[in-house]
Amino acid sequence: MRFVAASAVAGLALGTGAAAVAGPWDGGQRTAERARAEHVRAGVGGGARHAGPQAAPVPPVLGALRAGRGEPVGLAAALEPLLQDPALGSAGRAAAVVDALTGEKLYGSGERDAYTPASTIKLATAAAALAALGPEHRIATTVLGGGPDGGIVLVGGGDPTLTARPEHDGGSAGASLAELADATAGALKARGTERVRLAYDASRYAGPGLHVIGPNENLAPVSALMVDEGRLDDSDRGPADRTADPAGAAARTFATMLRERGVEIDGDVAEGRAQAGAPRLASVSSAPLSALVERALTNSDNDIAEALARQTAVAGGEEVSFAGAARAVTAQLTKLGLPMDGVHIADGSGLDRADRATADFLAHLLVRAADPGRPGLRPVLTGLPVAGFTGTLRERYAAGMQGRGLVRAKTGTLTGVNTLAGTVVTPSGRLLAFAFLASGTTDADAAQKALDRLATTLATTG
């Protein structure tokens, strides 16, 4: 809420690339953000220190962008010394800066050399999923009749954000396991059934669920059925202990909820399949894909990213596994006309060091997302963390730093790897897409600060 109010009042550039595109937009600002900002300025929801009920309407965050020609004055001279910072590692670094409205390359240094991109590969995963499925696509979790011994089957569709927690916003916020239990219990009782066997089906995904990094607090085993990303605590982002059996854990939680609603469960919950043509008893759906993409990018959410990759595999008719998802994502990126030389997709999250990307590829991907002719890709931009305010950039730009609130970028961090790719609006109103990749870094904090200086320079030059 504080960020939305600040951005509305101070006019922070959101870098949407096409403010006038039809959709959930108003002057380059998400309409939901605009509504919250209006409430804050009116003293609603703890925003009393802002203007009172008679405050003027919130102006558009992003004014008219200007298409420029040629390199902004002094850009190369400003960037090149910063790229020589030893904090950016000994194994190479790359940079690409592109005018987001014209596609003109403004600066490049090793931009066609491929490096491990870490979590900036999530930009590719997000763009591929949006291109394959559209921003309004939702992932369903269903309960079918016709299970083993006449029971019911909980069928996972691949929604890692399905929640078993009592507090959620409902509706467009996502799918609730409790709401699914309510609907299922109601359907069973309407049939006169108060005792049933329960099975679960996570067969929509194939291949191993365990990522090549092995058991890890950054990613649960990838499963078509899970609740709260398999987390064993009450967190909703960041590292956390995870269950080794997401599908089984989800089904057992669902069984408990049914019992609480007066439906007895016979025997143990086990894997099973519904009969062909089995009736649907109940269903809940995830938030729209656009919201999942934004959450994945803002928080660098590995579980959602891997789910997006597998949903892309479903849409592309590939095996719904790590390998099949990689092929499907690659195919969608190729269809988008991106420069794929040197690019290798190994997973959806960027945790696999076999991923490869070039700065040229990442910068042009952001240009595609800003294309007025591709409004379905816009969540790739709106999901980018905002320097000093949201997601993985919240703590990286201290108060008073020039880039604070101006840089929007996806971060990437693995041991020895630091990356940053995003957008800025220059003082002259020019939207730039950029990507910086560094390999062989030894001090992650120093490398991040060096990358942040590069992005800040773009926001304050030209």
Side-chain angles (χ1 to χ4, degrees), residues 1-330:
M1 182 73 76
R2 286 193 298 272
F3 160 65
V4 173
S7 65
V9 175
L12 302 180
L14 291 186
T16 63
V21 171
W25 297 93
D26 187 359
Q29 184 178 19
R30 276 181 284 192
T31 51
E33 289 179 343
R34 175 175 288 264
R36 289 196 297 271
E38 294 276 11
H39 290 166
V40 170
R41 285 169 60 86
V44 178
R49 67 179 183 278
H50 297 287
Q54 302 304 314
V58 179
V61 172
L62 179 61
L65 295 171
R66 298 181 178 89
R69 292 184 63 83
E71 175 192 320
V73 176
L75 181 62
L79 292 179
E80 286 171 0
L82 297 177
L83 279 171
Q84 300 309 311
D85 192 325
L88 293 177
S90 58
R93 68 284 307 270
V97 182
V98 180
D99 187 301
L101 296 189
T102 67
E104 178 186 4
K105 184 177 78 171
L106 305 178
Y107 179 81
S109 176
E111 68 272 22
R112 292 185 177 87
D113 297 334
Y115 292 92
T116 299
S119 279
T120 53
I121 207 66
K122 289 184 175 74
L123 296 169
T125 305
L130 289 166
L133 296 158
E136 298 305 316
H137 177 77
R138 296 173 185 257
I139 305 170
T141 305
T142 60
V143 176
L144 302 179
D149 299 322
I152 60 174
V153 184
L154 174 64
V155 182
D159 176 13
T161 66
L162 176 68
T163 183
R165 294 169 183 166
E167 293 184 7
H168 80 293
D169 294 334
S172 62
S176 164
L177 194 67
E179 290 178 4
L180 185 62
D182 286 339
T184 301
L188 289 171
K189 291 178 181 180
R191 296 181 173 195
T193 301
E194 295 187 353
R195 178 179 294 273
V196 71
R197 294 189 68 86
L198 173 65
Y200 64 90
D201 183 351
S203 64
R204 190 175 202 190
Y205 287 0
L210 198 61
H211 193 279
V212 294
I213 61 173
N216 194 280
E217 63 183 4
N218 292 298
L219 177 66
V222 181
S223 172
L225 177 63
M226 63 169 59
V227 292
D228 298 307
E229 300 183 337
R231 295 172 181 271
L232 297 177
D233 59 16
D234 60 358
S235 66
D236 64 359
R237 69 196 68 186
D241 289 337
R242 313 299 183 99
T243 176
D245 178 21
R252 289 187 289 273
T253 300
F254 187 63
T256 297
M257 289 180 171
L258 288 177
R259 292 188 186 100
E260 292 171 349
R261 288 156 176 77
V263 176
E264 291 300 318
I265 304 300
D266 282 338
D268 295 329
V269 177
E271 282 194 85
R273 304 284 186 274
Q275 299 172 3
R280 174 179 294 189
L281 300 180
S283 178
V284 292
S285 294
S286 71
L289 195 71
S290 58
L292 298 184
V293 162
E294 289 180 341
R295 178 171 164 182
L297 296 179
T298 299
N299 298 328
S300 200
D301 192 300
N302 298 308
D303 300 274
I304 298 177
E306 294 297 349
L308 293 174
R310 297 212 179 192
Q311 293 296 312
T312 306
V314 172
E318 291 280 359
E319 179 184 68
V320 191
S321 62
F322 283 111
R327 290 192 296 270
V329 169
T330 301

Side-chain angles (χ1 to χ4, degrees), residues 87-88 92-94 114-123 300 349-350 355-359 362 392-393 396-397 409-414 416-422 434-441 444 447-452 454-455:
L88 293 177
R93 68 284 307 270
Y115 292 92
T116 299
S119 279
T120 53
I121 207 66
K122 289 184 175 74
L123 296 169
S300 200
S349 61
D355 286 314
R356 289 289 184 273
T358 65
L362 290 171
T392 55
L393 284 184
R396 278 182 49 172
Y397 286 72
K410 181 71 197 75
T411 59
T413 307
L414 292 171
V417 173
N418 294 92
T419 60
L420 191 68
F434 68 85
F436 302 121
L437 307 174
S439 184
T441 59
Q448 289 171 356
K449 289 178 179 177
L451 294 173
D452 294 343
L454 284 161

